[in-house]
Amino acid sequence: MVSGAELDDCRRVAEEAARLGGRELLRRFGDHGRVDHKTASTDLVSEADRASEARIVQLLRARRPDDGILAEEGSGHTGSSGLRWVLDPLDGTVNYISGMPFWCVSVACEEETPDGWRPVVGVVLDPVHDELFHAVRGRGAFRDDVPLARPASTALDEVILAAGYAYDVAHRRVQAAVVADLAGDVRGVRMLGSTALALAWIAAGRCDAYVEDRTFRWDWAAGLVIAVEAGAAVEVSGSRVLAAPPELIDGLRPRVAALG
């Protein structure tokens, strides 16, 4: 079990790391350098992604040398402390490259348990709007210094549903069918382009539910802590992430079962 003092230190380091990466990304926003493809033509990585990750990893190795690291662009490190950093140096790369101001830096710290790794600290930074979402498991969620809590109850027809599409273009037809099935029952659907920031927005009450599959741990680890600490229910099943008000998640689960 991680002590309270160590959780406090991890939160401070996570915030420092996110701001360091965010400054690098803002400096390059609009001039992101070379763009390469990874798994598909829609799966992009820029010089900005790599530069942000390099700055963050350098800080983590200096401040927390015994911890492990799992990072989207490959900066892995096996630690010995029982803690691991999971980071996405730029979540929302397509938005970033296109000049759309919806992207973030996501930094989570996980503890190793008998059941696997469990996120205990989450920080999501929106550099464009200078908003820092953060949470420590069991201590609540915050936007900067403002406590966050979702509404006491939400009816399905009041829900703003955020969703994401996979890089696999063929699989998008499956995802689109699931979203189309839900679209008539909710207030609105938004395709935002960043899992981490969408989960932070759920915590802030800007949207109410989120569904996406073909995600990776660095997409949701930090946002999960923040959304859960604000009172949302978040389930990860395989590569699928479903977040919703607790009173609605049982009804939504079978409706997204085609995703996984």
Side-chain angles (χ1 to χ4, degrees):
M1 181 70 67
V2 186
S3 70
E6 189 157 32
L7 284 173
D8 287 336
D9 183 63
C10 289
R11 178 186 55 79
R12 288 190 293 267
V13 171
E15 292 180 6
E16 185 179 352
R19 290 198 182 279
L20 187 65
R23 286 194 294 271
E24 185 69 27
L25 294 173
L26 274 179
R27 185 176 70 82
R28 295 169 178 264
F29 194 33
D31 185 19
H32 45 69
R34 176 178 170 177
V35 176
D36 295 317
H37 300 97
K38 295 195 287 186
T39 62
S41 62
T42 52
D43 185 5
L44 306 179
V45 59
S46 70
E47 290 181 11
D49 294 72
R50 297 187 177 105
S52 174
E53 181 165 304
R55 298 292 296 275
I56 293 171
V57 169
Q58 182 180 35
L59 173 69
L60 294 176
R61 292 299 304 273
R63 295 284 299 277
R64 305 278 310 184
D66 296 329
D67 298 348
I69 296 175
L70 175 66
E72 181 177 13
E73 306 310 331
S75 301
H77 171 66
T78 300
S80 58
S81 67
L83 294 175
R84 177 176 75 172
W85 295 90
V86 180
L87 62 102
D88 192 334
L90 171 52
D91 190 34
T93 299
V94 173
N95 287 350
Y96 180 88
I97 290 170
S98 301
M100 298 180 185
F102 192 88
W103 46 270
C104 68
V105 182
S106 175
V107 180
C109 185
E110 298 185 317
E111 68 169 340
E112 191 172 17
T113 76
D115 298 320
W117 291 97
R118 179 179 76 147
V120 292
V121 174
V123 170
V124 172
L125 173 69
D126 173 353
V128 173
H129 303 100
D130 193 25
E131 290 188 316
L132 184 81
F133 302 89
H134 58 96
V136 174
R137 186 176 290 272
R139 300 189 188 177
F142 299 83
R143 183 186 69 249
D144 299 316
D145 295 324
V146 179
L148 299 175
R150 57 168 297 277
S153 63
T154 305
L156 185 60
D157 62 3
E158 298 173 335
V159 163
I160 298 295
L161 172 68
Y165 279 159
Y167 294 126
D168 178 356
V169 174
H171 185 63
R172 290 181 181 180
R173 295 184 178 89
V174 178
Q175 295 173 311
V178 169
V179 172
D181 174 65
L182 291 167
D185 296 327
V186 299
R187 178 169 288 170
V189 176
R190 302 291 183 266
M191 311 301 291
L192 298 177
S194 166
T195 297
L197 195 49
L199 290 171
W201 273 29
I202 287 178
R206 296 172 184 171
C207 53
D208 306 289
Y210 182 78
V211 63
E212 185 174 5
D213 67 339
R214 305 294 173 89
T215 66
F216 297 92
R217 200 169 189 90
W218 46 74
D219 295 317
W220 52 259
L224 179 148
V225 182
I226 297 166
V228 167
E229 286 299 314
V234 183
E235 295 182 352
V236 179
S237 177
S239 70
R240 185 187 73 211
V241 177
L242 173 63
E247 64 272 18
L248 297 180
I249 199 161
D250 287 343
L252 289 173
R253 191 182 302 112
R255 300 184 66 174
V256 303
L259 305 179

